[in-house]
């Protein structure tokens, strides 16, 4: 069997997505992959069209590992979000083809089901503690047993993640008012100061534990904004609240700083959405500096790399919590769940509810029921793409916000 051609499809059903479709010389047999990198969509599309796709025409789509190695090691220049997102899309689509050929869902190819479904979490948020509490209660009423909680920080402008659960669509950051440049929006600028944040988050969890109780698993996403000693302090202050984990406490560049955090707090730690390979994860795994590894499969080279990361993590008592926001496409969400229900060391899965427009373009996303996500037994990943529907929603330039401190200096968003 041979790869005959590969389509790159850019579409904006509420927010931008990039998808690929790998065609084969077997009539009707193709694979679908997700190549969406929020705010850098067209760079990935260009990397695929201009550089990677020409290398793939005529190759045997069965050779997933060899194609992965060829595109990563064989290209000399490797890694980073753009190239690893492009590689992930190809990898996912090849696993989709392999499943369709075998007549099996991808989770069967990964070793088969180890659990009835993937424990899923949603986002709760609000302007104040009562709004967050109401948001958590709505999530519980919908069946969630794990909820992430974020609240507006007094004095700051535009706090990350306070929109709460994206019950329909996930255009949380796309259509916000922003400056306009040459024919499109420019990033919205948010203001953030650590001291108010450090005081507010433990108080939020005081409120949530005293009103909601301890039966629902709660946790918080720092979004890489703290210094190691601040993260250690926050982790210690959150110990009485028994959160599931503190997510992404510090910037991704400083793996060694996790030693300091770990030495000072019993609050479990999660990290990884800004990692792009197993080598980014390695020190945190082998030194047991975190409890959950939460790479984005769509930005880390796909299923082939994720199963290796998971296998290393398993050896060190670390569970998976793959990144699952609205800004990656349904094929990555499906890949997440295929791994989740096959891996021995799955922990929890982030999810969003896609809008009707997204379902129209990408039918077959994972289904949520009773707090869990599941995929169907359809061969492959189970996600398709309707190109006619995709064409109705042309690309719109959009950026993530940027963050500045009160003195105007740049900080991590
Ligand atoms: C999460 C992440 C996202 C990212 C987004 C950026 O935990 O889901 O932090 O919300 O901010 O993926 O594009
Ligand atoms: Mg996060």
């Amino acid at each position: 069997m041979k790869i005959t051609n590969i389509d790159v499809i850019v579409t904006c059903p509420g927010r931008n997505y990039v998808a690929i479709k790998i065609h084969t010389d077997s009539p009707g047999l193709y694979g679908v992959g997700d190549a969406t990198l929020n705010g850098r969509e067209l760079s990935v599309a260009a990397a695929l069209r201009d550089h990677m796709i020409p290398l793939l025409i005529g190759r045997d789509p069965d050779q997933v590992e060899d194609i992965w190695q060829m595109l990563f090691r064989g290209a000399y220049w490797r890694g980073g979000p753009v190239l690893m997102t492009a590689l992930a899309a190809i990898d996912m689509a090849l696993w989709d083809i392999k499943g369709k050929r075998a007549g099996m869902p991808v989770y069967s190819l990964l070793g088969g089901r180890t659990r009835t479904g993937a424990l899923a979490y949603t986002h709760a948020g609000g302007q104040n503690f009562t709004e967050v509490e109401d948001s958590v209660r709505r999530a519980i009423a919908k069946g969630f047993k794990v909820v992430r909680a974020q609240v507006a920080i007094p004095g700051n402008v535009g706090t990350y993640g306070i929109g709460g659960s994206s019950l329909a669509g996930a255009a949380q950051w796309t259509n916000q008012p922003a400056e306009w440049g040459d024919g499109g929006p420019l990033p919205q600028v948010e203001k953030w100061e650590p001291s108010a944040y450090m005081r507010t988050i433990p108080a939020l969890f005081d409120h949530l534990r005293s009103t909601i109780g301890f039966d629902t698993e709660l946790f918080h996403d720092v979004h890489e904004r703290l210094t190691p000693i601040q993260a250690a302090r926050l982790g210690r202050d959150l110990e009485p609240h028994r959160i599931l984990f503190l997510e992404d406490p510090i910037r991704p560049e400083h793996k060694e700083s996790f030693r300091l955090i770990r030495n000072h707090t019993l609050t479990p730690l999660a990290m990884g959405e800004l990692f792009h390979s197993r080598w980014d994860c390695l020190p945190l795994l082998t030194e047991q500096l975190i409890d959950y590894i939460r790479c984005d499969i769509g930005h880390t080279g796909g299923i082939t790399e994720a199963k290796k990361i998971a296998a290393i993590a398993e050896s060190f008592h670390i569970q998976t919590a793959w990144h699952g926001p609205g800004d990656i496409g349904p094929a990555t969400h499906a890949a997440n769940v295929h791994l989740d229900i096959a891996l021995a060391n799955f922990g929890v899965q982030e999810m969003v509810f896609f809008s009707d427009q997204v379902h129209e373009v990408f039918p077959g996303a994972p289904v949520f029921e009773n707090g869990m996500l599941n995929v169907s037994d359809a061969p492959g990943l189970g996600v398709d793409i309707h190109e006619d529907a995709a064409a109705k929603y042309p690309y719109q330039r959009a950026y993530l916000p940027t963050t500045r401190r009160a003195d105007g200096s740049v900080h991590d968003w």
Side-chain angles (χ1 to χ4, degrees):
M1 183 173 295
K2 284 188 173 24
I3 296 172
T4 49
N5 66 302
I6 303 179
D7 303 318
V8 179
I9 300 136
V10 182
T11 179
C12 186
R15 69 182 311 150
N16 292 316
Y17 293 103
V18 181
I20 63 163
K21 197 168 178 179
I22 300 186
H23 299 272
T24 69
D25 58 2
S26 173
L29 181 61
Y30 61 85
V32 173
D34 171 36
T36 311
L37 180 62
N38 198 6
R40 295 291 184 273
E41 297 86 0
L42 301 186
S43 304
V44 182
L48 284 161
R49 282 188 185 124
D50 299 342
H51 305 293
M52 288 171 152
I53 289 173
L55 299 169
L56 297 172
I57 307 304
R59 286 188 188 272
D60 181 353
D62 189 55
Q63 295 176 344
V64 181
E65 180 73 37
D66 185 68
I67 290 175
W68 198 99
Q69 298 292 338
M70 188 258 303
L71 290 174
F72 184 77
R73 295 174 69 187
Y76 192 59
W77 305 110
R78 61 188 81 182
V82 172
L83 295 180
M84 295 311 277
T85 301
L87 177 49
I90 292 163
D91 183 80
M92 266 178 242
L94 294 176
W95 278 97
D96 191 30
I97 290 173
K98 196 183 277 296
K100 286 172 177 168
R101 262 181 111 179
M104 290 177 171
V106 167
Y107 71 76
S108 285
L109 306 181
L110 296 172
R113 223 177 237 286
T114 59
R115 52 181 52 80
T116 53
L119 179 69
Y121 73 76
T122 189
H123 307 159
Q127 291 296 332
N128 54 50
F129 296 171
T130 321
E131 277 186 27
V132 184
E133 179 195 333
D134 291 346
S135 183
V136 173
R137 288 192 192 285
R138 282 196 298 278
I140 294 170
K142 228 172 148 40
F144 284 98
K145 295 170 177 57
V146 187
V147 185
R148 186 189 86 168
Q150 312 288 131
V151 70
I153 307 299
N156 290 2
V157 177
T159 312
Y160 164 80
I162 59 171
S165 161
S166 42
L167 285 179
Q172 287 147 293
W173 301 298
T174 38
N175 299 318
Q176 297 188 21
E179 283 182 63
W180 284 69
D182 54 340
L186 294 172
Q188 188 184 43
V189 180
E190 300 184 350
K191 290 263 182 295
W192 188 85
E193 280 296 309
S195 19
Y197 172 80
M198 296 276 294
R199 288 193 305 273
T200 304
I201 299 306
L204 168 68
F205 283 88
D206 281 343
H207 177 88
L208 294 177
R209 284 309 189 199
S210 64
T211 51
I212 307 269
F214 282 80
D215 287 344
T216 299
E217 295 280 9
L218 298 175
F219 71 96
H220 178 72
D221 185 356
V222 178
H223 221 249
E224 301 100 0
R225 290 179 181 194
L226 295 177
T227 65
I229 199 69
Q230 288 168 342
R233 158 62 64 200
L234 183 60
R236 189 176 279 189
D237 289 349
L238 288 170
E239 282 174 14
H241 309 103
R242 303 291 172 103
I243 60 172
L244 184 67
F245 54 68
L246 192 61
E247 175 177 329
D248 291 355
I250 57 169
R251 290 169 52 181
E253 292 87 5
H254 301 285
K255 278 79 172 174
E256 65 283 0
S257 302
F258 273 88
R259 290 191 201 116
L260 187 150
I261 307 173
R262 195 62 151 178
N263 282 339
H264 287 94
T265 181
L266 286 173
T267 292
L269 302 171
M271 186 72 191
E273 68 184 53
L274 288 177
F275 289 170
H276 302 299
S277 75
R278 87 195 80 132
W279 295 281
D280 284 337
C281 308
L282 215 50
L284 302 187
L285 302 180
T286 57
E287 290 190 48
Q288 302 185 27
L289 297 176
I290 55 171
D291 303 278
Y292 292 84
I293 184 72
R294 48 184 322 289
C295 299
D296 189 313
I297 291 175
H299 305 330
T300 322
I303 294 169
T304 298
E305 186 72 352
K307 66 185 172 64
K308 294 176 185 177
I309 293 169
I312 303 167
E314 185 188 354
S315 319
F316 294 99
H317 308 282
I318 295 160
Q319 293 178 285
T320 64
W322 309 124
H323 192 215
D327 51 77
I328 50 173
T332 303
H333 283 265
N336 281 340
V337 179
H338 281 280
L339 280 157
D340 297 341
I341 62 178
L343 293 172
N345 58 324
F346 161 73
V348 70
Q349 182 58 58
E350 182 180 27
M351 68 163 289
V352 291
F353 293 99
F354 286 110
S355 67
D356 291 345
Q357 285 175 317
V358 175
H359 284 298
E360 180 196 359
V361 177
F362 300 105
V367 172
F368 174 80
E369 199 184 7
N370 292 331
M372 287 193 181
L373 278 169
N374 244 309
V375 281
S376 74
D377 287 341
L381 286 175
V383 172
D384 208 344
I385 172 154
H386 286 168
E387 280 139 295
D388 290 347
K392 291 197 302 188
Y393 307 111
Y395 169 78
Q396 291 173 32
R397 190 171 82 194
Y399 288 99
L400 288 166
T402 53
T403 298
R404 288 182 184 273
R405 296 283 302 270
D407 66 2
S409 57
V410 171
H411 195 73
D412 298 84
W413 178 72

